[in-house]
Each structure stands twice: as C-alpha cells, then as structure tokens.
Amino acid sequence: MIDLSTEYLGLKLANPLVPSSSPLTGELDSARKLEDAGASALVLPSLFEDDIVNEQQQLERFVHSQALGHYEAQSYQPVPEDYDSELDNYLARVQQFKSALDIPVIASLNGISNNGWIDTGKELQQAGADALELNVYYIAADPSTSGEEVENRYLQLLTDLRQHVSIPVTMKLSSQFSSVANMVLKLQQAGAHGVSLFNRFYQPDIDLETLHIKPHLELSSSMESLLRIRWIAMIRGRVDLSIAATGGFHRSEDIIKALLVGADITHLCSALLKNGPEHLAILKQELHDWLEQQEYASVAQMKGSVSRSCAINPAALEHSNYMHIIKNYDQ
Ligand SMILES: Cc1cc2nc3c(=O)[nH]c(=O)nc-3n(C[C@H](O)[C@H](O)[C@H](O)COP(=O)(O)O)c2cc1C
C-alpha cells in the first residue's frame, strides 16, 4: 500500500492534489465531484478587495442615510432588505462547503491595498475556513514604485492578516520578484505558513482590427510548470514553510517532478477546467503507479529527493546550466 499523504500548512492531507481557486471550486456540485475524484483539499475562488470595499462603502452610505432620514438623503441609495452582500455569500459558501465536504476548505483573499479590507480574514476563519490564501495580484506599473515598496506591500498585508487570524496563512506569489528566494524567506519571517509558487498574470492582447486592448485568458500549458519546479528545487531546504506548486500542472509527470524537488502539494486548475474534475482521479492513480514502479513507499519518502540541497550538482539548476544549454544548441 503506497502512502500518498502529505502535510501542507499544518494540515494532514490524503494526497498532494489540491484544486486551486477556479470556477470549479466555487460551486458545491463541482466541488463534490473534485472530492469524489480524490482532491485532498480545495481553495475557494477569491473574495476580492474591490467587492469588500464597495460593500463597506454601500453600508456606510446606508448608515449615513438612516442617520439623516430618507427625506434629507434622497441621493443615498438605501440597501434593499433582501440584499446579499458578496461577503455574506462568501461566508455562507465557506459554511456550506465545510458541512458538505470532508476535505479541508481553504478560503482566498485577493487584493492589494492597505485600507482595512484584510480584517475580513477574521470572518472567514469564524465561518470555518481551515486556512487562508492571500493573493496580492499587484502589477507595479508606476516607474516610481521601487521593488522594495512592492515587497513591503506584500509583507504589510500578511502582517495585518496574521493579526486577525490564527489559522494558517499562505501567500500566492508571482515569479516577478528580483529575488524570489529572498522574498519567500521574508514572508516566512513575517509569519507566512506557506507560499504558492507561482500565480499567473493574464496578458492583455491587442485587437488588430479595432486597435483596442482586449482581455485575454488563456489556460496554462505543461511547459509552465518548469519555472515552478526550478524555483522550488532551489529554495526547498533553505526555507522552512509549506510550498505549493501552482501553474502548469497538467500531467502526472509534472506533479511527480514538483514533489521530487520538494513541493508539499501541487495545485490544479487549467488541467481540471480542460478535462473535468474526474481528471484528478487519473492523475492520482498515475502518481500512485509511478511510486510503486520506483519502489517508493510514500510521497513523504520521495518528496524533495531532487531538490537543490540533495542534487549532486546544484549548479545544474543555476548558472552553468544556462551556459551549457545555449552553447550546445543544435539547429
Ligand atoms: C477561470 C479562472 C479563474 C480563476 N480564479 C482565481 C481566483 O479567484 N483566485 C486566485 O487566486 N486564482 C484564480 N485563478 C488562478 C488559478 O487558481 C491558478 O493559480 C492559475 O490558473 C495557474 O494554475 P493552472 O496552470 O493550473 O491553471 C483562476 C484561474 C482561472 C483559469
């Protein structure tokens, strides 16, 4: 019997396959299918700062209009009695998922500013979330913003969130830091229990007919997993927090590589959107079969056996590998 279990953010998970935020993890019906296919936990779609802030403003307007009386405050829109806020819906979903599913439910907060929305984490914890993922989807487009300012934004949001919750917190990062390894270390020192490497930024495209910018969401491909695998290989053993691999994990080979370099779990999104929740069962079976063929008794035994600290030649992952590849390109 191969033991597929793993530990992530202090949670004991039955296996390392965890669907990340997507429309599939937001509906109970598809979440049940994911659990039936073997998902060991799931991350809900994000609750966005913009939604929280809009609601806070709407509530403030409502309270203000009540205080003034409707006659004097006709310009204020009262909140309808049957109004369900995004936050209320999200909290209800956490509770519903927690009572309907046996697997841990990780809630996700997504935002960038430092204006009070982050204390919502407390309500997510009270609703029963097993952990929180914080996704700071920030693109530093202003040339006067320094890398240090960007990093501090992440660190401040994490510190603020940690003050409101006692459940584990993980940070979903992009790869666009000057020093990814140092950033992960700083997040660990600021109290992160884990990191999720790496978020994908969606690249807007240009419509050549209209010359307008058009939003563009393309699902990932397996190739993208190599960036994640490389970075996890280099930092595992040098930091002490949970690591999730996310972005480009489609085939069992991709997942096996991420575990070999030290990921605790791999997230799945595009692969499940393309192939349906049932695909997870195939990946799980293939992971099991590979471990059996290679005579590993457990995921714990194989995890990290090809990370930088274990690799015979760490440079193979770094500079000399680059030189070797470009000098040996064969047309
Ligand atoms: C349709 C769609 C919706 C997503 N929604 C969220 C979200 O709400 N919050 C979030 O942090 N990531 C979200 N993501 C990002 C995924 O969770 C994942 O990090 C990304 O797609 C990379 O993984 P993949 O290569 O397996 O798709 C979404 C992705 C897609 C395709």
Side-chain angles (χ1 to χ4, degrees):
M1 225 8 220
I2 310 284
D3 178 4
L4 295 183
S5 67
T6 187
E7 198 173 313
Y8 178 60
L9 305 175
L11 304 166
K12 297 263 181 234
L13 303 183
N15 65 65
L17 305 179
V18 178
S20 62
S21 297
S22 87
L24 280 177
T25 61
E27 297 293 330
L28 187 55
D29 191 36
S30 42
R32 277 212 181 96
K33 287 184 185 154
L34 290 168
E35 183 178 44
D36 291 345
S40 63
L42 60 79
V43 187
L44 293 174
S46 298
L47 177 59
F48 288 90
E49 172 188 357
D50 290 2
D51 291 329
I52 299 169
V53 171
N54 286 344
E55 267 169 42
Q56 282 168 348
Q57 286 168 352
Q58 192 163 359
L59 196 64
E60 275 162 25
R61 282 202 298 272
F62 173 64
V63 171
H64 191 64
S65 72
Q66 293 291 301
L68 290 176
H70 290 299
Y71 177 74
E72 293 165 68
Q74 276 170 356
S75 59
Y76 294 104
Q77 296 292 318
V79 180
E81 271 178 21
D82 59 354
Y83 174 72
D84 272 337
S85 76
E86 287 283 340
L87 175 60
D88 290 341
N89 288 338
Y90 200 93
L91 295 173
R93 189 187 295 162
V94 174
Q95 286 169 342
Q96 183 193 36
F97 276 43
K98 278 303 294 172
S99 58
L101 304 175
D102 290 328
I103 54 178
V105 174
I106 301 170
S108 164
L109 280 172
N110 197 317
I112 52 171
S113 80
N114 206 339
N115 63 5
W117 65 280
I118 203 79
D119 59 11
T120 306
K122 186 166 51 188
E123 292 172 74
L124 298 178
Q125 172 170 332
Q126 283 161 356
D130 293 284
L132 285 178
E133 185 177 89
L134 179 56
N135 182 349
V136 186
Y137 195 101
Y138 180 69
I139 296 175
D142 180 350
S144 66
T145 305
S146 71
E148 194 180 8
E149 283 172 77
V150 176
E151 292 186 0
N152 285 340
R153 186 183 284 265
Y154 278 72
L155 293 165
Q156 192 56 55
L157 275 170
L158 170 67
T159 307
D160 290 350
L161 180 59
R162 290 278 283 118
Q163 278 170 3
H164 293 289
V165 300
S166 54
I167 52 176
V169 174
T170 183
M171 299 287 290
K172 189 169 186 174
L173 302 184
S174 88
S175 60
Q176 295 178 2
F177 288 93
S178 301
S179 173
V180 173
N182 179 256
M183 186 62 198
V184 172
L185 184 62
K186 281 186 189 160
L187 288 167
Q188 178 194 317
Q189 287 163 348
H193 299 86
V195 284
S196 197
L197 307 178
F198 293 113
N199 207 0
R200 291 174 80 229
F201 284 142
Y202 298 103
Q203 311 301 345
D205 201 351
I206 298 173
D207 186 323
L208 290 181
E209 293 283 321
T210 63
L211 302 189
H212 288 152
I213 301 287
K214 56 175 183 188
H216 182 65
L217 194 166
E218 187 148 337
L219 296 179
S220 68
S221 71
S222 221
M223 268 304 285
E224 293 177 45
S225 67
L226 293 175
L227 176 75
R228 283 74 185 168
I229 290 165
R230 176 193 205 185
W231 274 106
I232 295 171
M234 290 196 290
I235 63 173
R236 177 45 91 211
R238 293 162 146 196
V239 291
D240 185 20
L241 78 182
S242 292
I243 301 179
T246 184
F249 292 89
H250 288 250
R251 307 166 307 167
S252 53
E253 290 93 317
D254 310 328
I255 293 162
I256 291 163
K257 289 176 199 168
L259 297 171
L260 280 171
V261 297
D264 296 300
I265 61 158
T266 53
H267 280 310
L268 303 167
C269 172
S270 293
L272 300 175
L273 289 172
K274 274 184 196 161
N275 303 305
E278 303 75 21
H279 185 61
L280 195 144
I282 298 171
L283 296 174
K284 187 176 146 202
Q285 186 61 49
E286 288 177 358
L287 170 63
H288 176 278
D289 294 348
W290 187 87
L291 288 163
E292 197 168 53
Q293 280 158 19
Q294 301 296 319
E295 299 183 358
Y296 282 109
S298 64
V299 162
Q301 192 190 12
M302 62 94 85
K303 207 161 73 176
S305 45
V306 189
S307 71
R308 185 188 184 282
S309 44
C310 300
I312 297 164
N313 176 13
L317 295 162
E318 297 171 0
H319 186 67
S320 65
N321 192 31
Y322 171 66
M323 277 170 44
H324 178 77
I325 287 172
I326 57 171
K327 286 187 178 173
N328 290 286
Y329 177 70
D330 184 1
Q331 286 191 0

